[in-house]
Amino acid sequence: MSLFDRQPPVVWISRVALAFVWIYQGIVPKLVCQSPVELGLLAHLGPLYGFMCSVMGYGEMLFGLLILLSPWRWPFLLNIAAMLSLLGFVSLHEPALLTEAFNPVSLNAAVIALSVIAFISMRKPAA
């Protein structure tokens, strides 16, 4: 029996949902379609924003896999910090996005809530 078998179903539901969000956000708007909104946000980072969009896409995919497959609790805390940081970045550079349908506020709040649920519900491994 592995560590994963001992986790409550709510942890697995949270893991799968969070992994889906990160992997989807890495693949679709950054690698497959390179969303103009994503490129506009990344343009604030400098002239290599197109390249950075791809790098971030792969990074988001890897982070989604980390959340899905790791036995640790700390990725959920890192996820919360990332969501708060990204929300701050959007608020600073493109505040108009905060009023759009399916905006960063609602997505980030849901992702943070799932992380909190998983973190609290996850059992620590027996020594």
Side-chain angles (χ1 to χ4, degrees), residues 17-18 21-23 25-26 30 38 56 60 63-64 67 75-91 98 103-116:
L18 290 168
V21 168
W22 279 104
I23 292 168
Q25 291 296 325
K30 292 185 182 70
E38 291 284 349
M56 288 179 65
E60 289 178 10
F63 189 61
I67 286 175
F76 299 114
L77 296 177
L78 182 58
N79 187 54
I80 293 167
M83 291 293 96
L84 293 172
S85 298
L86 290 169
L87 186 57
F89 183 81
V90 171
S91 298
L98 303 179
N103 63 67
V105 175
S106 58
L107 175 64
N108 289 17
V111 168
I112 288 169
L114 284 170
S115 292
V116 170

Side-chain angles (χ1 to χ4, degrees), residues 3-122:
L3 173 66
F4 297 119
D5 295 334
R6 296 189 303 257
Q7 296 306 316
V10 69
V11 173
W12 277 109
I13 293 167
S14 297
R15 281 184 188 279
V16 169
L18 290 168
F20 172 78
V21 168
W22 279 104
I23 292 168
Y24 180 88
Q25 291 296 325
I27 292 173
V28 176
K30 292 185 182 70
L31 297 174
V32 174
C33 298
Q34 286 213 332
S35 161
V37 173
E38 291 284 349
L39 291 171
L41 279 169
L42 294 173
H44 296 285
L45 300 178
L48 297 176
Y49 64 91
F51 172 72
M52 287 302 299
C53 191
S54 296
V55 170
M56 288 179 65
Y58 288 113
E60 289 178 10
M61 289 171 40
L62 290 173
F63 189 61
L65 291 173
L66 175 70
I67 286 175
L68 182 64
L69 301 174
S70 74
W72 307 297
R73 297 169 76 201
W74 63 261
F76 299 114
L77 296 177
L78 182 58
N79 187 54
I80 293 167
M83 291 293 96
L84 293 172
S85 298
L86 290 169
L87 186 57
F89 183 81
V90 171
S91 298
L92 181 64
H93 294 289
E94 297 289 339
L97 292 176
L98 303 179
T99 61
E100 296 293 326
F102 299 104
N103 63 67
V105 175
S106 58
L107 175 64
N108 289 17
V111 168
I112 288 169
L114 284 170
S115 292
V116 170
I117 290 166
F119 184 82
I120 291 171
S121 301
M122 192 170 173

